[in-house]
Amino acid sequence: MNRRHCATAAITLVCALALLTSTGQAMAAPVPDPSPSPSSSSPAGSTPRYSTAELEKVREQIETLYRKAGAATDAYNLAEEQTKKQSGEIVKLAKAIVDGQARIAALKDRAGAQAREQYRNGGLPPGAQLALSNDPKLFLDGINKVRQSQQASKSLLSDLNQTQQDLETYTQDASANWEKLETNRVKQAKAKKKINAQIKAAEKLESQLEKKERARLLQLERDAADKAQTAWLSSGAVKDVSGEASEAGAAAVAFATAQIGKPYVWGAEGPGSYDCSGLTSQAWLAAKRPIPRTSQEQWRLLPRIDIQDMRPGDLIIYHADASHVGMYVGDGAIVHAPRPGRNVTLAGAGSMKILGVVRPDK
C-alpha cells in the first residue's frame, strides 16, 4: 500500500474515532392525538365530564400510544446495541490498522537492510560469495546460506504482501462498520423521535383529565387487566403449569422482583429505572446468563416453549409485534416494567395478549 493510501486511511480512522462518542439523536416535537369530547361541561365535583364508555375510549387510546412507544423503544434499544457493537468493531479495526502500518514499516526496514548489505557486497549476498570458494566445506555452507537467504527474502516479500492485503481489508472493514454505525444512529434518532411523540401524546390525553377521572381511568386499567387475567386462567392455560425454577431462573426472579417499585423509563436498564426488556435482560445477566437486550430479539433468538411447560424465570412475550416482555414468577403472575408513568410491579401473566414464552437457560 502506498504512503498516500495509508495516510488517507489514517485520516479517515481519526475522524471516525473522534465521532464515536457523538450521539447525533434528534429530539421530537409532540404529536398529540385528539382527546374525546366531554359529555357535559359540568364543573368539577358534580356530574363527571366523561361517561364510563368515553373514559374507556381514552384508556384504549392511551394504551395504544404507549404500545406504539414500546415498539419504538425496542427499535431504539436494538439500534443502540448495534451502535455499541459497531463502535467496538471500529476500535478493534483501528488498532489492527495501526499495527499493520507498523508491521509494514518494519518489513520495509528489513528489506532495505538486505538491499544495502547486498550492495556493499558487490551485488552478491554473503552466501553466494562463500559458494564461489574453493574450500568444499565453505562451498557447502555457502550453498545452505544461499538457500536460507532466498527463503528469507521470499518470506519477507510474502509477509509484506500479506500485511498490505490485511491492511487494505481492515481499512475496508472499518469503512463498512462506520457506515453501519451511522445507519444505526439514524435509526436511533427516528425511534427516539417516535417514542417522545407517542409518550407526549399519551401524557397530554391523561393530563386533560381531572384528578377523579384519572383515578377512574386507573381503575378501568386495572379492571381490564383483571378481566383478561380471569379469562386466561379460566381457559385452563396454566392448569398443569407446575415447573420449578432452575438455579439460574431463581436468581433471575430474585433480581427482577427486587426491582419492584422502580419507575419505567424507556431505554433504561437499571439500576434506578428500567424498561420492560431492560429489566428482563439485566435480571438474566445477574443470573450469569446474558440474553438479547430487546423483547423482539428475545423472542427471535431464545428457545421457545409451551405455556404448559413454563417455570419461574421464563420470559413471556406480549403482543403480535413482540413489543413487551415480562418474567414469569409462578402462580400465574409476572414481574414487569409496564409503561411510562408506572413502576416495576407484579401482574397477571394473562393480563395482556400473550405471543409466546421463551426460556433463556434451556
Side-chain angles (χ1 to χ4, degrees), residues 40-50 209-213 216:
S40 69
S41 57
S42 302
S46 59
T47 304
R49 297 187 308 156
Y50 295 90
L209 301 175
E210 295 176 353
K211 184 176 180 180
K212 289 183 179 179
E213 290 167 338
R216 288 173 60 206

Side-chain angles (χ1 to χ4, degrees), residues 29 41-42 44 47 50 96 129 135 139 161 232 275 279 283 313 358:
S41 57
S42 302
T47 304
Y50 295 90
Q129 294 178 6
D135 187 323
F139 177 80
N161 289 335
W232 184 65
D275 63 19
L279 176 65
V358 295

Side-chain angles (χ1 to χ4, degrees), residues 270-285:
S273 58
Y274 297 87
D275 63 19
C276 65
S277 58
L279 176 65
T280 54
S281 61
Q282 288 300 304
W284 274 99
L285 182 61

Side-chain angles (χ1 to χ4, degrees), residues 147-166:
R147 289 174 179 170
Q148 291 171 3
S149 177
Q150 289 174 338
Q151 290 174 351
S153 296
K154 184 177 180 180
S155 176
L156 178 61
L157 182 60
S158 176
D159 285 350
L160 183 59
N161 289 335
Q162 183 61 54
T163 303
Q164 287 177 325
Q165 291 175 11
D166 289 344

Side-chain angles (χ1 to χ4, degrees), residues 72-358:
T73 297
D74 240 27
Y76 175 90
N77 288 336
L78 181 58
E80 182 181 46
E81 187 175 39
Q82 290 172 338
T83 295
K84 290 178 181 177
K85 180 180 179 181
Q86 298 307 140
S87 297
E89 288 298 320
I90 289 175
V91 170
K92 290 179 183 178
L93 288 168
K95 185 178 184 302
I97 289 172
V98 171
D99 290 345
Q101 290 172 331
R103 179 167 172 74
I104 285 176
L107 289 171
K108 286 183 176 180
D109 284 345
R110 284 176 54 194
Q114 285 186 357
R116 289 190 296 272
E117 181 181 4
Q118 189 172 359
Y119 176 78
R120 286 194 299 269
N121 292 311
L124 291 174
Q129 294 178 6
L130 290 172
L132 298 176
S133 170
N134 292 325
D135 187 323
K137 185 176 184 303
L138 290 177
F139 177 80
L140 292 176
D141 289 343
I143 291 294
N144 289 332
K145 289 183 179 181
V146 167
R147 289 174 179 170
Q148 291 171 3
S149 177
Q150 289 174 338
Q151 290 174 351
S153 296
K154 184 177 180 180
S155 176
L156 178 61
L157 182 60
S158 176
D159 285 350
L160 183 59
N161 289 335
Q162 183 61 54
T163 303
Q164 287 177 325
Q165 291 175 11
D166 289 344
L167 188 57
E168 179 69 27
T169 299
Y170 295 150
T171 303
Q172 292 173 353
D173 288 349
S175 177
N177 276 280
W178 179 252
E179 290 177 3
K180 291 178 183 178
L181 181 67
E182 290 305 299
T183 298
N184 287 327
R185 282 182 173 152
V186 170
K187 289 180 181 178
Q188 277 184 271
K190 288 182 178 179
K192 184 173 183 179
K193 183 176 181 179
K194 187 173 183 179
I195 293 164
N196 284 335
Q198 303 292 354
I199 291 176
K200 287 180 181 295
E203 289 174 343
K204 182 173 182 179
L205 275 177
E206 196 163 357
S207 70
Q208 292 171 345
L209 301 175
E210 295 176 353
K211 184 176 180 180
K212 289 183 179 179
E213 290 167 338
R214 286 197 293 273
R216 288 173 60 206
L217 184 71
L218 180 58
Q219 188 58 51
L220 285 174
E221 184 180 305
R222 290 170 177 165
D223 290 345
D226 289 344
K227 182 178 180 181
Q229 174 73 355
T230 299
W232 184 65
L233 293 175
S234 299
S235 71
V238 290
K239 181 180 179 181
D240 298 321
V241 175
S242 59
E244 295 184 2
S246 64
E247 183 177 350
V253 169
F255 179 94
T257 52
Q259 313 313 309
I260 289 175
K262 294 182 179 180
Y264 176 107
V265 173
W266 70 264
E269 45 189 334
S273 58
Y274 297 87
D275 63 19
C276 65
S277 58
L279 176 65
T280 54
S281 61
Q282 288 300 304
W284 274 99
L285 182 61
K288 304 188 185 309
R289 293 293 184 94
I291 64 174
R293 168 65 177 86
T294 71
S295 59
Q296 291 173 345
E297 289 295 281
Q298 289 168 5
W299 173 243
R300 186 173 73 88
L301 298 174
L302 296 178
R304 300 178 186 180
I305 61 169
D306 293 333
I307 289 179
Q308 290 78 9
D309 297 326
M310 274 194 312
R311 67 189 188 195
D314 290 342
L315 305 181
I316 302 181
I317 310 297
Y318 293 95
H319 310 309
D321 59 358
S323 58
H324 191 70
V325 59
M327 179 179 291
Y328 186 64
V329 296
D331 296 326
I334 59 168
V335 58
H336 73 143
R339 65 165 177 82
R342 299 289 185 265
N343 298 330
V344 176
T345 187
L346 292 173
S351 58
M352 297 167 283
K353 186 171 180 58
I354 294 175
L355 178 61
V357 182
V358 295

